[in-house]
Amino acid sequence: MGRLPDGAAFAVVVGGEADALHEVWPLVAAAEPAVPLYGGTGAPVVGATELNGALAEARYALASARSTAAVDGSALTDASSLTGLDALLTGVPAEVRTAYSRTVLGELRSNAVLLETLETFLVCDGSWARTAEALHLHVNSVHYRIGRIEHFTGRDLSRLYDRLDLWAALLCRADSA
């Protein structure tokens, strides 16, 4: 056990004790419900040379627990549960997520219709027809709106890289809203 430079406490546990942590966590967190308790766990390691990597994972999981816990609630997050983009972004500080979303979405942030179109288009995997159906629009209207989105963001929605940027920006926006 010890403390990190930021004041966070840490402990290195052996084998089966890590599993026990997930069992006792609710009891520990309930002991003082008015005090939120956050924890993060990293992957098990074989030798001391792997401890830094496990500690980095645990710190990222801790950041995720802090950002996803219910208001005044406690949370324990295992790094192995951070498997999707939305989960990955939870470990990024809120102010960074907000700035990223603001920068990538730009003027689009104030246009609810285009934001809905963008999200629907991405959820529909870039299918013009399914997007039109989901939004009850003619496919030409979807083409027009996507053109406006590309104009405002400077991104090309036919490119996977740009789609990922915009999806991450939408996730960051939803998280900071």
Side-chain angles (χ1 to χ4, degrees):
M1 285 188 68
R3 289 214 176 264
L4 298 173
D6 65 2
F10 74 92
V12 176
V13 293
V14 182
E17 293 177 17
D19 295 333
L21 175 62
H22 291 279
E23 293 175 22
V24 301
W25 182 265
L27 301 172
V28 173
E32 188 62 50
V35 178
L37 185 63
Y38 309 106
T41 60
V45 298
V46 177
T49 58
E50 298 173 341
L51 282 175
N52 278 341
L55 180 58
E57 287 180 5
R59 291 180 84 172
Y60 199 82
L62 173 61
S64 178
R66 285 180 172 144
S67 70
T68 59
V71 176
D72 296 331
S74 296
L76 174 65
T77 300
D78 188 325
S80 67
S81 71
L82 303 175
T83 58
L85 179 60
D86 53 340
L88 176 68
L89 292 171
T90 64
V92 176
E95 54 276 0
V96 174
R97 292 190 308 269
T98 300
Y100 179 81
S101 180
R102 187 179 328 118
T103 301
V104 172
L105 295 175
E107 295 177 43
L108 193 63
R109 293 177 311 131
S110 61
N111 191 319
V113 171
L114 291 182
L115 284 171
E116 178 187 24
T117 302
L118 174 60
E119 185 170 4
T120 304
F121 183 76
L122 294 174
V123 166
C124 291
D125 298 319
S127 167
W128 301 95
R130 288 188 311 173
T131 302
E133 184 180 336
L135 294 173
H136 308 290
L137 296 171
H138 189 276
V139 72
N140 289 345
S141 297
V142 174
H143 278 277
Y144 173 77
R145 288 184 183 183
I146 294 300
R148 299 304 301 151
I149 290 165
E150 291 176 331
H151 168 77
F152 284 128
T153 63
R155 309 290 170 143
D156 178 352
L157 283 164
S158 67
R159 295 184 49 211
L160 176 62
Y161 188 84
D162 288 343
R163 285 185 190 183
L164 290 173
D165 282 346
L166 289 165
W167 184 247
L170 288 173
L171 290 172
C172 288
R173 178 183 172 273
D175 190 48
S176 63

